[in-house]
Amino acid sequence: MFEYEAGPASVRLALVIVAVSLGMFITLIPFASTPLAALPWFIPLHQPVLVINDLITTTLLLGYFRLVRKHCILILACGYLYSAVMATVHLLSFPGVFAPAGLLGAGPQTTGYLHVFWHLGFPVAVIAYSFLKQADRTADRPGAATAKAVLATLACTAVLGLLATVGGDWLPEMLKDNRYSSVFNIGRYGQWFVTGLALAILFTRRSASTLDMWLVVVLSAWFFEIGLVSVFNAGRWDVGFYAGRIYGLVSSSFVLIMLLTEHGRMHRDLAEAQASVRTAARLQEAQQVLRLALAAGKMGVFSWDLVNQRAWWSLEVEHDILGLRPGELALVPDALMPFVLAEDRERVQAQARDCIGNRRECDVEFRLCDAQGNLRWAFARGKAGYDDSGKATVVFGVIGDITERKRGEAAAAEMEVHFRTMADELPEIAWMARPDGWIYWFNRRWHEYTGLSQREAEGWGWRQVNDPALVPTIVAKWRHSVETGEPYEMVVPLKGTDGRWRQFLSRAVALRNNDGQIIHWFGVNADITMQTEAEQALKLADQRKDEFLATLAHELRNPLAPIRNAAVLLTRMPGLPANVERALAVIERQSRHLARLVDDLLEVSRITQGKVSLRKSEVSLIDCLSDALHAVESTLKAAGHEVLVHLTDDPLLASADATRMVQCFLNLLNNAIKFTPRGGVISVTAERLPGQARIAVSDSGIGIPPEHLKDIFGLFSQVTPALERSQGGLGIGLSLVKGFVELHGGSVEAASEGPGCGSTFTVCLPLLERPADAPPASHDAGRDAGREARHHPRRVLVIDDNRDAANSMVALLQAAGHEVREAHDGQTGLALAFDFEPEVVLLDLGMPGMSGFDVARELRGRTAQPAPRIIAVTGWGQESDRRLTREAGFDFHLTKPVNHTELDVLLSMSMPAPEQAAAPLRR
């Protein structure tokens, strides 16, 4: 800052200050020794201002020293610090200020010597500054150098201060009664001489810097002040004493103001310099970024001077695009044209002329051949500048290599052709949509099938060929997929050009970019009309199969019913011959076997359709297993098998359908009996495992080949070698076991070591956690109730169009002590019911004329008498048949041939009271 060259204004101002100071000095010399009144407050007011000025100047110079690190600045700062400290000591020792002899307790000579020491130090510092400035020495560590210099300055002021105060009585007298003595002449002329010498050295060695110019002003003021205060006056309290100090104070303040002004300018210059540095850095950074951008984009820049027909091309244009060496491209606007392909040259020139003439931005793509003969694609984008008259004077712009982009576009176009060709050959309808769901493309199959053009079908036009009733659902589902990004899937009917509707499975998935954003939707509509029709045909066939099975069961049960009834009736006759009893046993056993086959066939049909409903209750699996063993007891004896039973004392309580469990165990036992040669061994075990029961049925029979183990539970499965020794069967027993066990949450598996090694079937079922002292309800109640049936004779009406079945049922009921009437059609039965007033009606369903359902509704419609208990006895046993009987008002549903034990239980049940007749018991 202070070494900046002083401007003309600053020089003129300094000369004016020196001239004014000199004029004042000359004017005041004749009056300098004129005595004035003593003003004790003058020194306390004057010298603190001087001290503050000097300290501020010291601070500014020390700050500048930290920037430039020059020793000359440090010496000058120490001179100002010395002046400030000595002025302070002079103030504190001045008689009458703060104390009669001064605060420091000095003698009358102290202030005189302090004034001399004070005014000698600063000129000496200026002389040192002048010589050190020429040497241009700098400090490596400005902080340490500053500390040392300040300490040295303070030490010097301390020594001189002590000498003037403590040793004041030892020094020659300078003042006698406030008047200067002859001894003071040495001091006052000495300091005046040193100041003049400093001024001369500074002036002869001065540079044109602002600091030197101001030091000349300061030393001039210093010289004039000493002259007034010490040379031309007579002592204290005269005109020179006051005028010199006032003059020095004003000069010092003015110079300090100039220093502060210059310091502010320094900070302004520094800020501008820093801003320039930052601007330069940003400019350099921008240039680097521009170069990187140009390199990354394979671009270069150019400018044309249209007035002088001169051009400038960047290095990227020459080297990276044209393959030339730097400076090889001619510096004229048309230098690029020889590299442009002849087919594109006229178009490029015409567009450039048009853009310049119409003041539009030029943007053109063209082909060029570089210096190595390589074909390239390039683009040029430029803009012209115009003078005040509207004439184009300059053109500037960019040129870029877009060869890779063009290759990519060509590859993409080729891929697009391949994609469209492939999509058009698809037998399915293909389509694409924007992220917002707007369908913008269909393949050829769409147009062939619907007859809609691209324009007619795009967007939401595809709704024209959809079922109007389904359009809202289709649109809602499609919009949901568009909003959530979830795949779209729906079966939709589409109308073809022939007017027929065909079923299509419509699917669409979102195509996303690397950021996961949807960029397209791709969908396919597959014609599934044949599959749909095949499914419907399968459902129809399955329905017909169920109807066939139901009809077959009905037709088989109808002849079985009178056979079973007749056999049971004969077995209840006493005194039959032995051969007759054996024949009846055969009839009973074989009819029961045939009935079981029919039941199994219907049961497996229900399981495969998921129509089986379990009536679960708390049952003992041990009781179920015992019932099954009891049921096959006669069969086991006839086959001559040895049975080993190992049952646990634990009842094995489970939540299960007792009838289904007995059926499962009965099928496993029958399977073991059938496939074990006579005299074999069958083992039955039951045990508790953690949370489940394990029940195993093992035999010493023909075994199962390993390749058949995985299929043994399949529907109609038969092990081929077993056919020779099989006692018949449809091969559905094990399938029923698996179905019922899995419905109960259990599992079943088969194991065998091979043919002739027997087999083991293991059932695992979940158990209930129940205290051991709480036994389950016994399911033997039915048998007990059956045994008690004879003690409750009923009035029973039998209505069945099968006379054999009706006659045999009537004979059985009469043998059991019941009062029975018989009818063979619905009308007759209804008339008998009004006259006979039966308690129980055994009613067949399928009868000519008036069906059993109609008869039941008529009976339920009666209000004069209590309604009877109506039991369906029919060959129809599917769940749908049972539901119909419940809806028609039947209380129970029994299938032919009737289980007489179950029938006895139903007959033995107490009848509802008359007031309960309107709400009959429903099963």
PDB file of all heavy atoms in Angstrom, residues 454-484:
ATOM      1  N   GLN A 454     -54.028 -48.059 -37.112  1.00  0.00           N
ATOM      2  CA  GLN A 454     -53.242 -47.538 -36.009  1.00  0.00           C
ATOM      3  C   GLN A 454     -53.889 -46.289 -35.422  1.00  0.00           C
ATOM      4  O   GLN A 454     -53.976 -46.132 -34.199  1.00  0.00           O
ATOM      5  CB  GLN A 454     -51.815 -47.225 -36.492  1.00  0.00           C
ATOM      6  CG  GLN A 454     -50.855 -46.806 -35.387  1.00  0.00           C
ATOM      7  CD  GLN A 454     -50.450 -47.971 -34.508  1.00  0.00           C
ATOM      8  OE1 GLN A 454     -50.410 -49.112 -34.961  1.00  0.00           O
ATOM      9  NE2 GLN A 454     -50.175 -47.694 -33.252  1.00  0.00           N
ATOM     10  N   ARG A 455     -54.352 -45.395 -36.263  1.00  0.00           N
ATOM     11  CA  ARG A 455     -54.950 -44.143 -35.796  1.00  0.00           C
ATOM     12  C   ARG A 455     -56.245 -44.417 -35.038  1.00  0.00           C
ATOM     13  O   ARG A 455     -56.556 -43.764 -34.043  1.00  0.00           O
ATOM     14  CB  ARG A 455     -55.203 -43.219 -36.977  1.00  0.00           C
ATOM     15  CG  ARG A 455     -55.882 -41.914 -36.599  1.00  0.00           C
ATOM     16  CD  ARG A 455     -55.959 -40.965 -37.781  1.00  0.00           C
ATOM     17  NE  ARG A 455     -54.631 -40.577 -38.239  1.00  0.00           N
ATOM     18  CZ  ARG A 455     -54.410 -39.756 -39.262  1.00  0.00           C
ATOM     19  NH1 ARG A 455     -55.434 -39.253 -39.938  1.00  0.00           N
ATOM     20  NH2 ARG A 455     -53.183 -39.449 -39.617  1.00  0.00           N
ATOM     21  N   GLU A 456     -57.038 -45.389 -35.497  1.00  0.00           N
ATOM     22  CA  GLU A 456     -58.307 -45.684 -34.845  1.00  0.00           C
ATOM     23  C   GLU A 456     -58.111 -46.341 -33.479  1.00  0.00           C
ATOM     24  O   GLU A 456     -58.928 -46.148 -32.575  1.00  0.00           O
ATOM     25  CB  GLU A 456     -59.150 -46.606 -35.726  1.00  0.00           C
ATOM     26  CG  GLU A 456     -59.634 -45.951 -37.006  1.00  0.00           C
ATOM     27  CD  GLU A 456     -60.302 -46.957 -37.925  1.00  0.00           C
ATOM     28  OE1 GLU A 456     -59.880 -48.147 -37.923  1.00  0.00           O
ATOM     29  OE2 GLU A 456     -61.233 -46.566 -38.643  1.00  0.00           O
ATOM     30  N   ALA A 457     -57.030 -47.101 -33.332  1.00  0.00           N
ATOM     31  CA  ALA A 457     -56.867 -47.896 -32.116  1.00  0.00           C
ATOM     32  C   ALA A 457     -55.985 -47.228 -31.068  1.00  0.00           C
ATOM     33  O   ALA A 457     -56.071 -47.576 -29.887  1.00  0.00           O
ATOM     34  CB  ALA A 457     -56.258 -49.259 -32.469  1.00  0.00           C
ATOM     35  N   GLU A 458     -55.138 -46.267 -31.449  1.00  0.00           N
ATOM     36  CA  GLU A 458     -54.182 -45.724 -30.495  1.00  0.00           C
ATOM     37  C   GLU A 458     -54.895 -44.955 -29.395  1.00  0.00           C
ATOM     38  O   GLU A 458     -56.047 -44.559 -29.523  1.00  0.00           O
ATOM     39  CB  GLU A 458     -53.163 -44.824 -31.196  1.00  0.00           C
ATOM     40  CG  GLU A 458     -53.726 -43.518 -31.705  1.00  0.00           C
ATOM     41  CD  GLU A 458     -52.659 -42.652 -32.355  1.00  0.00           C
ATOM     42  OE1 GLU A 458     -51.498 -43.104 -32.462  1.00  0.00           O
ATOM     43  OE2 GLU A 458     -53.001 -41.530 -32.751  1.00  0.00           O
ATOM     44  N   GLY A 459     -54.148 -44.744 -28.293  1.00  0.00           N
ATOM     45  CA  GLY A 459     -54.739 -44.077 -27.133  1.00  0.00           C
ATOM     46  C   GLY A 459     -55.717 -44.994 -26.447  1.00  0.00           C
ATOM     47  O   GLY A 459     -55.346 -46.031 -25.898  1.00  0.00           O
ATOM     48  N   TRP A 460     -56.996 -44.622 -26.458  1.00  0.00           N
ATOM     49  CA  TRP A 460     -58.048 -45.441 -25.863  1.00  0.00           C
ATOM     50  C   TRP A 460     -59.022 -45.955 -26.910  1.00  0.00           C
ATOM     51  O   TRP A 460     -60.106 -46.461 -26.576  1.00  0.00           O
ATOM     52  CB  TRP A 460     -58.812 -44.619 -24.819  1.00  0.00           C
ATOM     53  CG  TRP A 460     -57.921 -44.129 -23.731  1.00  0.00           C
ATOM     54  CD1 TRP A 460     -57.282 -42.941 -23.671  1.00  0.00           C
ATOM     55  CD2 TRP A 460     -57.546 -44.842 -22.558  1.00  0.00           C
ATOM     56  NE1 TRP A 460     -56.515 -42.851 -22.524  1.00  0.00           N
ATOM     57  CE2 TRP A 460     -56.669 -44.013 -21.825  1.00  0.00           C
ATOM     58  CE3 TRP A 460     -57.857 -46.098 -22.048  1.00  0.00           C
ATOM     59  CZ2 TRP A 460     -56.107 -44.394 -20.621  1.00  0.00           C
ATOM     60  CZ3 TRP A 460     -57.295 -46.486 -20.827  1.00  0.00           C
ATOM     61  CH2 TRP A 460     -56.435 -45.647 -20.132  1.00  0.00           C
ATOM     62  N   GLY A 461     -58.624 -45.875 -28.196  1.00  0.00           N
ATOM     63  CA  GLY A 461     -59.495 -46.343 -29.255  1.00  0.00           C
ATOM     64  C   GLY A 461     -59.693 -47.843 -29.265  1.00  0.00           C
ATOM     65  O   GLY A 461     -60.643 -48.344 -29.870  1.00  0.00           O
ATOM     66  N   TRP A 462     -58.811 -48.580 -28.595  1.00  0.00           N
ATOM     67  CA  TRP A 462     -58.930 -50.035 -28.561  1.00  0.00           C
ATOM     68  C   TRP A 462     -60.207 -50.502 -27.880  1.00  0.00           C
ATOM     69  O   TRP A 462     -60.612 -51.664 -28.008  1.00  0.00           O
ATOM     70  CB  TRP A 462     -57.736 -50.638 -27.835  1.00  0.00           C
ATOM     71  CG  TRP A 462     -57.415 -49.972 -26.519  1.00  0.00           C
ATOM     72  CD1 TRP A 462     -56.540 -48.960 -26.309  1.00  0.00           C
ATOM     73  CD2 TRP A 462     -57.995 -50.266 -25.240  1.00  0.00           C
ATOM     74  NE1 TRP A 462     -56.521 -48.603 -24.979  1.00  0.00           N
ATOM     75  CE2 TRP A 462     -57.410 -49.394 -24.298  1.00  0.00           C
ATOM     76  CE3 TRP A 462     -58.945 -51.189 -24.804  1.00  0.00           C
ATOM     77  CZ2 TRP A 462     -57.749 -49.412 -22.952  1.00  0.00           C
ATOM     78  CZ3 TRP A 462     -59.287 -51.209 -23.450  1.00  0.00           C
ATOM     79  CH2 TRP A 462     -58.685 -50.325 -22.541  1.00  0.00           C
ATOM     80  N   ARG A 463     -60.876 -49.595 -27.153  1.00  0.00           N
ATOM     81  CA  ARG A 463     -62.097 -49.990 -26.447  1.00  0.00           C
ATOM     82  C   ARG A 463     -63.228 -50.353 -27.410  1.00  0.00           C
ATOM     83  O   ARG A 463     -64.214 -50.976 -26.998  1.00  0.00           O
ATOM     84  CB  ARG A 463     -62.546 -48.859 -25.520  1.00  0.00           C
ATOM     85  CG  ARG A 463     -61.577 -48.606 -24.365  1.00  0.00           C
ATOM     86  CD  ARG A 463     -62.015 -47.455 -23.495  1.00  0.00           C
ATOM     87  NE  ARG A 463     -61.906 -46.178 -24.202  1.00  0.00           N
ATOM     88  CZ  ARG A 463     -62.156 -44.996 -23.629  1.00  0.00           C
ATOM     89  NH1 ARG A 463     -62.542 -44.935 -22.372  1.00  0.00           N
ATOM     90  NH2 ARG A 463     -62.028 -43.885 -24.329  1.00  0.00           N
ATOM     91  N   GLN A 464     -63.084 -49.961 -28.689  1.00  0.00           N
ATOM     92  CA  GLN A 464     -64.143 -50.231 -29.661  1.00  0.00           C
ATOM     93  C   GLN A 464     -64.395 -51.723 -29.843  1.00  0.00           C
ATOM     94  O   GLN A 464     -65.522 -52.131 -30.162  1.00  0.00           O
ATOM     95  CB  GLN A 464     -63.781 -49.620 -31.013  1.00  0.00           C
ATOM     96  CG  GLN A 464     -63.539 -48.123 -30.989  1.00  0.00           C
ATOM     97  CD  GLN A 464     -63.052 -47.628 -32.333  1.00  0.00           C
ATOM     98  OE1 GLN A 464     -63.711 -47.811 -33.356  1.00  0.00           O
ATOM     99  NE2 GLN A 464     -61.883 -47.012 -32.343  1.00  0.00           N
ATOM    100  N   VAL A 465     -63.347 -52.540 -29.655  1.00  0.00           N
ATOM    101  CA  VAL A 465     -63.490 -53.970 -29.906  1.00  0.00           C
ATOM    102  C   VAL A 465     -63.581 -54.758 -28.611  1.00  0.00           C
ATOM    103  O   VAL A 465     -63.467 -55.983 -28.622  1.00  0.00           O
ATOM    104  CB  VAL A 465     -62.313 -54.488 -30.761  1.00  0.00           C
ATOM    105  CG1 VAL A 465     -62.350 -53.882 -32.145  1.00  0.00           C
ATOM    106  CG2 VAL A 465     -60.981 -54.192 -30.084  1.00  0.00           C
ATOM    107  N   ASN A 466     -63.754 -54.071 -27.480  1.00  0.00           N
ATOM    108  CA  ASN A 466     -63.938 -54.742 -26.198  1.00  0.00           C
ATOM    109  C   ASN A 466     -65.411 -54.800 -25.843  1.00  0.00           C
ATOM    110  O   ASN A 466     -66.218 -53.991 -26.323  1.00  0.00           O
ATOM    111  CB  ASN A 466     -63.171 -54.021 -25.089  1.00  0.00           C
ATOM    112  CG  ASN A 466     -61.696 -54.322 -25.129  1.00  0.00           C
ATOM    113  OD1 ASN A 466     -60.919 -53.584 -25.724  1.00  0.00           O
ATOM    114  ND2 ASN A 466     -61.297 -55.408 -24.502  1.00  0.00           N
ATOM    115  N   ASP A 467     -65.736 -55.740 -24.985  1.00  0.00           N
ATOM    116  CA  ASP A 467     -67.099 -55.873 -24.501  1.00  0.00           C
ATOM    117  C   ASP A 467     -67.468 -54.606 -23.717  1.00  0.00           C
ATOM    118  O   ASP A 467     -66.817 -54.279 -22.727  1.00  0.00           O
ATOM    119  CB  ASP A 467     -67.209 -57.099 -23.599  1.00  0.00           C
ATOM    120  CG  ASP A 467     -68.645 -57.371 -23.169  1.00  0.00           C
ATOM    121  OD1 ASP A 467     -69.516 -56.529 -23.438  1.00  0.00           O
ATOM    122  OD2 ASP A 467     -68.879 -58.423 -22.551  1.00  0.00           O
ATOM    123  N   PRO A 468     -68.490 -53.852 -24.159  1.00  0.00           N
ATOM    124  CA  PRO A 468     -68.843 -52.601 -23.461  1.00  0.00           C
ATOM    125  C   PRO A 468     -69.093 -52.801 -21.973  1.00  0.00           C
ATOM    126  O   PRO A 468     -68.804 -51.913 -21.168  1.00  0.00           O
ATOM    127  CB  PRO A 468     -70.101 -52.128 -24.199  1.00  0.00           C
ATOM    128  CG  PRO A 468     -70.020 -52.764 -25.550  1.00  0.00           C
ATOM    129  CD  PRO A 468     -69.349 -54.094 -25.326  1.00  0.00           C
ATOM    130  N   ALA A 469     -69.625 -53.958 -21.596  1.00  0.00           N
ATOM    131  CA  ALA A 469     -69.915 -54.192 -20.183  1.00  0.00           C
ATOM    132  C   ALA A 469     -68.634 -54.333 -19.363  1.00  0.00           C
ATOM    133  O   ALA A 469     -68.623 -54.048 -18.166  1.00  0.00           O
ATOM    134  CB  ALA A 469     -70.787 -55.443 -20.022  1.00  0.00           C
ATOM    135  N   LEU A 470     -67.546 -54.786 -20.013  1.00  0.00           N
ATOM    136  CA  LEU A 470     -66.284 -54.998 -19.287  1.00  0.00           C
ATOM    137  C   LEU A 470     -65.327 -53.821 -19.410  1.00  0.00           C
ATOM    138  O   LEU A 470     -64.306 -53.786 -18.717  1.00  0.00           O
ATOM    139  CB  LEU A 470     -65.585 -56.260 -19.811  1.00  0.00           C
ATOM    140  CG  LEU A 470     -66.196 -57.596 -19.414  1.00  0.00           C
ATOM    141  CD1 LEU A 470     -65.407 -58.731 -20.059  1.00  0.00           C
ATOM    142  CD2 LEU A 470     -66.188 -57.761 -17.904  1.00  0.00           C
ATOM    143  N   VAL A 471     -65.620 -52.861 -20.306  1.00  0.00           N
ATOM    144  CA  VAL A 471     -64.683 -51.752 -20.531  1.00  0.00           C
ATOM    145  C   VAL A 471     -64.343 -51.004 -19.240  1.00  0.00           C
ATOM    146  O   VAL A 471     -63.173 -50.730 -18.968  1.00  0.00           O
ATOM    147  CB  VAL A 471     -65.224 -50.800 -21.612  1.00  0.00           C
ATOM    148  CG1 VAL A 471     -64.479 -49.467 -21.590  1.00  0.00           C
ATOM    149  CG2 VAL A 471     -65.079 -51.440 -22.990  1.00  0.00           C
ATOM    150  N   PRO A 472     -65.320 -50.622 -18.381  1.00  0.00           N
ATOM    151  CA  PRO A 472     -64.947 -49.917 -17.133  1.00  0.00           C
ATOM    152  C   PRO A 472     -63.988 -50.716 -16.260  1.00  0.00           C
ATOM    153  O   PRO A 472     -63.051 -50.162 -15.688  1.00  0.00           O
ATOM    154  CB  PRO A 472     -66.296 -49.698 -16.442  1.00  0.00           C
ATOM    155  CG  PRO A 472     -67.302 -49.718 -17.544  1.00  0.00           C
ATOM    156  CD  PRO A 472     -66.797 -50.718 -18.527  1.00  0.00           C
ATOM    157  N   THR A 473     -64.202 -52.026 -16.163  1.00  0.00           N
ATOM    158  CA  THR A 473     -63.310 -52.871 -15.358  1.00  0.00           C
ATOM    159  C   THR A 473     -61.921 -52.932 -15.970  1.00  0.00           C
ATOM    160  O   THR A 473     -60.902 -52.837 -15.264  1.00  0.00           O
ATOM    161  CB  THR A 473     -63.895 -54.282 -15.239  1.00  0.00           C
ATOM    162  OG1 THR A 473     -65.203 -54.203 -14.687  1.00  0.00           O
ATOM    163  CG2 THR A 473     -63.016 -55.151 -14.344  1.00  0.00           C
ATOM    164  N   ILE A 474     -61.868 -53.083 -17.311  1.00  0.00           N
ATOM    165  CA  ILE A 474     -60.574 -53.148 -17.995  1.00  0.00           C
ATOM    166  C   ILE A 474     -59.809 -51.840 -17.809  1.00  0.00           C
ATOM    167  O   ILE A 474     -58.613 -51.826 -17.476  1.00  0.00           O
ATOM    168  CB  ILE A 474     -60.773 -53.462 -19.486  1.00  0.00           C
ATOM    169  CG1 ILE A 474     -61.437 -54.833 -19.667  1.00  0.00           C
ATOM    170  CG2 ILE A 474     -59.439 -53.415 -20.227  1.00  0.00           C
ATOM    171  CD1 ILE A 474     -61.865 -55.119 -21.099  1.00  0.00           C
ATOM    172  N   VAL A 475     -60.503 -50.715 -18.018  1.00  0.00           N
ATOM    173  CA  VAL A 475     -59.856 -49.403 -17.888  1.00  0.00           C
ATOM    174  C   VAL A 475     -59.369 -49.185 -16.462  1.00  0.00           C
ATOM    175  O   VAL A 475     -58.251 -48.697 -16.233  1.00  0.00           O
ATOM    176  CB  VAL A 475     -60.830 -48.286 -18.329  1.00  0.00           C
ATOM    177  CG1 VAL A 475     -60.255 -46.919 -18.000  1.00  0.00           C
ATOM    178  CG2 VAL A 475     -61.114 -48.396 -19.815  1.00  0.00           C
ATOM    179  N   ALA A 476     -60.179 -49.550 -15.468  1.00  0.00           N
ATOM    180  CA  ALA A 476     -59.778 -49.362 -14.062  1.00  0.00           C
ATOM    181  C   ALA A 476     -58.549 -50.193 -13.735  1.00  0.00           C
ATOM    182  O   ALA A 476     -57.618 -49.711 -13.075  1.00  0.00           O
ATOM    183  CB  ALA A 476     -60.947 -49.724 -13.145  1.00  0.00           C
ATOM    184  N   LYS A 477     -58.523 -51.427 -14.201  1.00  0.00           N
ATOM    185  CA  LYS A 477     -57.375 -52.295 -13.905  1.00  0.00           C
ATOM    186  C   LYS A 477     -56.116 -51.797 -14.621  1.00  0.00           C
ATOM    187  O   LYS A 477     -55.020 -51.810 -14.058  1.00  0.00           O
ATOM    188  CB  LYS A 477     -57.697 -53.731 -14.322  1.00  0.00           C
ATOM    189  CG  LYS A 477     -56.697 -54.755 -13.817  1.00  0.00           C
ATOM    190  CD  LYS A 477     -57.184 -56.154 -14.072  1.00  0.00           C
ATOM    191  CE  LYS A 477     -56.215 -57.189 -13.487  1.00  0.00           C
ATOM    192  NZ  LYS A 477     -56.134 -57.099 -12.034  1.00  0.00           N
ATOM    193  N   TRP A 478     -56.283 -51.322 -15.876  1.00  0.00           N
ATOM    194  CA  TRP A 478     -55.130 -50.809 -16.623  1.00  0.00           C
ATOM    195  C   TRP A 478     -54.592 -49.535 -15.967  1.00  0.00           C
ATOM    196  O   TRP A 478     -53.386 -49.355 -15.830  1.00  0.00           O
ATOM    197  CB  TRP A 478     -55.551 -50.569 -18.061  1.00  0.00           C
ATOM    198  CG  TRP A 478     -54.527 -49.891 -18.937  1.00  0.00           C
ATOM    199  CD1 TRP A 478     -54.715 -48.802 -19.715  1.00  0.00           C
ATOM    200  CD2 TRP A 478     -53.162 -50.270 -19.138  1.00  0.00           C
ATOM    201  NE1 TRP A 478     -53.567 -48.475 -20.386  1.00  0.00           N
ATOM    202  CE2 TRP A 478     -52.596 -49.361 -20.048  1.00  0.00           C
ATOM    203  CE3 TRP A 478     -52.364 -51.287 -18.633  1.00  0.00           C
ATOM    204  CZ2 TRP A 478     -51.270 -49.434 -20.458  1.00  0.00           C
ATOM    205  CZ3 TRP A 478     -51.030 -51.364 -19.041  1.00  0.00           C
ATOM    206  CH2 TRP A 478     -50.504 -50.439 -19.939  1.00  0.00           C
ATOM    207  N   ARG A 479     -55.471 -48.652 -15.530  1.00  0.00           N
ATOM    208  CA  ARG A 479     -55.013 -47.425 -14.869  1.00  0.00           C
ATOM    209  C   ARG A 479     -54.338 -47.728 -13.533  1.00  0.00           C
ATOM    210  O   ARG A 479     -53.394 -47.046 -13.143  1.00  0.00           O
ATOM    211  CB  ARG A 479     -56.201 -46.480 -14.670  1.00  0.00           C
ATOM    212  CG  ARG A 479     -56.589 -45.768 -15.969  1.00  0.00           C
ATOM    213  CD  ARG A 479     -57.792 -44.868 -15.796  1.00  0.00           C
ATOM    214  NE  ARG A 479     -58.031 -44.078 -17.010  1.00  0.00           N
ATOM    215  CZ  ARG A 479     -59.149 -43.449 -17.276  1.00  0.00           C
ATOM    216  NH1 ARG A 479     -60.154 -43.497 -16.404  1.00  0.00           N
ATOM    217  NH2 ARG A 479     -59.277 -42.757 -18.399  1.00  0.00           N
ATOM    218  N   HIS A 480     -54.828 -48.733 -12.850  1.00  0.00           N
ATOM    219  CA  HIS A 480     -54.175 -49.126 -11.594  1.00  0.00           C
ATOM    220  C   HIS A 480     -52.744 -49.585 -11.848  1.00  0.00           C
ATOM    221  O   HIS A 480     -51.818 -49.219 -11.120  1.00  0.00           O
ATOM    222  CB  HIS A 480     -54.976 -50.251 -10.930  1.00  0.00           C
ATOM    223  CG  HIS A 480     -54.302 -50.830  -9.723  1.00  0.00           C
ATOM    224  ND1 HIS A 480     -54.273 -50.186  -8.497  1.00  0.00           N
ATOM    225  CD2 HIS A 480     -53.599 -51.995  -9.551  1.00  0.00           C
ATOM    226  CE1 HIS A 480     -53.595 -50.914  -7.639  1.00  0.00           C
ATOM    227  NE2 HIS A 480     -53.186 -52.017  -8.242  1.00  0.00           N
ATOM    228  N   SER A 481     -52.538 -50.365 -12.891  1.00  0.00           N
ATOM    229  CA  SER A 481     -51.184 -50.804 -13.230  1.00  0.00           C
ATOM    230  C   SER A 481     -50.303 -49.624 -13.625  1.00  0.00           C
ATOM    231  O   SER A 481     -49.134 -49.543 -13.236  1.00  0.00           O
ATOM    232  CB  SER A 481     -51.224 -51.837 -14.356  1.00  0.00           C
ATOM    233  OG  SER A 481     -51.889 -53.009 -13.952  1.00  0.00           O
ATOM    234  N   VAL A 482     -50.857 -48.690 -14.393  1.00  0.00           N
ATOM    235  CA  VAL A 482     -50.086 -47.520 -14.824  1.00  0.00           C
ATOM    236  C   VAL A 482     -49.668 -46.686 -13.619  1.00  0.00           C
ATOM    237  O   VAL A 482     -48.534 -46.184 -13.543  1.00  0.00           O
ATOM    238  CB  VAL A 482     -50.916 -46.677 -15.820  1.00  0.00           C
ATOM    239  CG1 VAL A 482     -50.245 -45.342 -16.073  1.00  0.00           C
ATOM    240  CG2 VAL A 482     -51.087 -47.438 -17.124  1.00  0.00           C
ATOM    241  N   GLU A 483     -50.559 -46.528 -12.638  1.00  0.00           N
ATOM    242  CA  GLU A 483     -50.258 -45.705 -11.465  1.00  0.00           C
ATOM    243  C   GLU A 483     -49.284 -46.384 -10.520  1.00  0.00           C
ATOM    244  O   GLU A 483     -48.461 -45.720  -9.891  1.00  0.00           O
ATOM    245  CB  GLU A 483     -51.560 -45.376 -10.725  1.00  0.00           C
ATOM    246  CG  GLU A 483     -52.489 -44.446 -11.507  1.00  0.00           C
ATOM    247  CD  GLU A 483     -53.850 -44.313 -10.852  1.00  0.00           C
ATOM    248  OE1 GLU A 483     -54.052 -44.945  -9.785  1.00  0.00           O
ATOM    249  OE2 GLU A 483     -54.700 -43.589 -11.398  1.00  0.00           O
ATOM    250  N   THR A 484     -49.359 -47.695 -10.380  1.00  0.00           N
ATOM    251  CA  THR A 484     -48.529 -48.416  -9.404  1.00  0.00           C
ATOM    252  C   THR A 484     -47.311 -49.090 -10.016  1.00  0.00           C
ATOM    253  O   THR A 484     -46.380 -49.441  -9.299  1.00  0.00           O
ATOM    254  CB  THR A 484     -49.376 -49.472  -8.694  1.00  0.00           C
ATOM    255  OG1 THR A 484     -49.851 -50.430  -9.660  1.00  0.00           O
ATOM    256  CG2 THR A 484     -50.562 -48.827  -7.995  1.00  0.00           C
TER     257      THR A 484
END
